[in-house]
Amino acid sequence: MTHSPLSLRADAEGEAARLPALLARAEHLAGAVLPGAHGRRRAGSGDDFWQYRPAQMGDSRRMIDHRRSARGDQEFVREREWQIAQSVMLWVDQGASMRFSSDKGLPDKADRARLLGLALSILLLRGGERVGFTGTALPPRRGDPQILRLAELLCREDSREYAPPEHRGMIPHARAIFISDFMGDLEPVRTALTKAADRGVRGVLYHLLDPAEEAFPFAGRTIFESVGGSLRHETLKANDLRDRYLDRLAARKDALQQLCARTGWRYGLHHTDASAQSALLWLYGALDARQGSAA
């Protein structure tokens, strides 16, 4: 696909205009969630003191804190805070199908996905972890400058109707989050999660839908057209399609949940008319969960 200099400039200006608003909203959302988000402190290697614990069989003598142990008859080990930040890899679907909203009062799926992806990144980065995108465009890094890099790339759109998940550049034993409506071909999703699991990567598959896509509130003559314009279907009896559509949607959800169960990922479902704050809290907590699903 070719672009003229004028169209490239217009696209760049459009992306630049979205950036400050996205940053401000994500900062606000992360700030609202931060007081209720529990830290990720755990035992491990690091420099900061975390806690004392009674010495156990297998602890070396040099681990004993003699000053604390001298207060009584029991020996204690001085544990330090876990400070080796893990890498979190993010994929946010920016395909054309994500730019759908059934109501002017609702955000489109892409807007909600970007907001959640960036707000979650802010929480993780300020917790000392490395965050980046899957693929090669933005490797995981620490620090506030990474927030701006993430926001810039999140403001870009994919011209494809359904964008497949990017699975290149997966860091072994990292964590990952995929946010999408998963309306396209499921095979690239299977490939991505299988390759991730082979590298010891565990994560969250976050299924994001508009409420109309869940309820199918259509009847009579209806023209269905994809956001990208590549698909179009007209019917005089849309209500006759409802049961078949809902069956296929249920099958799609089940396939995604089964895939998560096989690869050790977690499945979550979110609707754009629901609270972004509750979604962010769930995502933040789900990174530490082993397996399961949520609505």
Side-chain angles (χ1 to χ4, degrees):
M1 184 176 181
T2 59
H3 296 273
S4 69
L6 286 176
S7 67
L8 282 173
R9 179 177 176 179
D11 290 345
E13 288 177 348
E15 290 177 8
R18 287 197 298 266
L19 183 59
L22 175 62
L23 274 169
R25 291 165 57 218
E27 289 274 8
H28 179 75
L29 180 58
V33 166
L34 193 58
H38 300 291
R40 299 173 180 278
R41 299 183 69 176
R42 63 195 78 177
S45 58
D47 297 323
D48 293 343
F49 169 72
W50 182 30
Q51 68 176 7
Y52 290 111
R53 66 164 172 81
Q56 301 171 353
M57 186 174 294
D59 291 335
S60 66
R61 296 300 302 174
R62 65 182 180 181
M63 294 174 65
I64 304 298
D65 188 285
H66 297 288
R67 181 175 295 179
R68 173 64 180 85
S69 301
R71 299 178 190 172
D73 298 325
Q74 189 172 14
E75 292 183 324
F76 285 86
V77 167
R78 182 184 178 93
E79 286 192 329
R80 301 189 182 278
E81 184 177 355
W82 181 80
Q83 289 187 330
I84 302 176
Q86 294 194 48
S87 294
V88 180
M89 313 289 291
L90 184 67
W91 175 70
V92 175
D93 187 349
Q94 297 181 80
S97 72
M98 294 291 287
R99 299 193 285 275
F100 171 74
S101 174
S102 62
D103 189 282
K104 291 181 179 179
L106 293 176
D108 63 36
K109 293 178 289 184
D111 180 80
R112 179 57 58 86
R114 290 187 191 107
L115 178 62
L116 291 175
L118 187 57
L120 180 62
S121 298
I122 290 170
L123 289 178
L124 294 169
L125 286 163
R126 292 184 177 164
E129 306 205 39
R130 293 187 297 264
V131 181
F133 286 133
T134 55
T136 58
L138 185 61
R141 297 189 183 99
R142 295 188 185 95
D144 280 355
Q146 186 76 340
I147 295 172
L148 181 59
R149 300 184 193 108
L150 289 161
E152 288 174 343
L153 290 179
L154 280 170
C155 283
R156 298 180 184 177
E157 294 180 345
D158 194 317
S159 61
R160 290 172 291 183
E161 196 77 67
Y162 304 106
E166 173 63 84
H167 55 77
R168 293 176 300 165
M170 284 283 192
I171 298 173
H173 308 295
R175 289 167 296 162
I177 301 163
F178 287 4
I179 304 177
S180 173
D181 59 8
F182 298 107
M183 288 290 191
D185 183 9
L186 276 186
E187 197 54 42
V189 183
R190 292 191 184 97
T191 299
L193 262 66
T194 300
K195 289 190 174 184
D198 289 344
R199 297 181 182 124
V201 176
R202 297 293 180 266
V204 178
L205 203 70
Y206 207 47
H207 195 181
L208 202 154
L209 295 172
D210 183 276
E213 293 173 325
E214 187 75 74
F216 199 82
F218 307 106
R221 182 177 181 271
T222 306
I223 298 174
F224 297 98
E225 186 172 10
S226 62
V227 177
S230 63
L231 302 171
R232 190 176 189 276
H233 177 73
E234 182 176 354
T235 179
L236 296 177
K237 297 181 179 180
N239 47 298
D240 288 350
L241 301 176
R242 187 173 188 275
D243 289 344
R244 278 183 287 168
Y245 169 83
L246 293 178
D247 286 345
R248 292 187 67 176
L249 180 60
R252 174 61 55 107
K253 290 179 185 176
D254 183 65
L256 291 170
Q257 291 179 65
Q258 292 299 322
L259 178 59
C260 287
R262 289 196 301 271
T263 55
W265 281 47
R266 188 167 187 185
Y267 172 85
L269 175 64
H270 175 69
H271 300 126
T272 54
D273 61 344
S275 162
Q277 184 172 329
S278 63
L280 180 57
L281 270 171
W282 186 88
L283 278 168
Y284 188 76
L287 284 176
D288 281 337
R290 293 181 180 272
Q291 198 170 338
S293 62

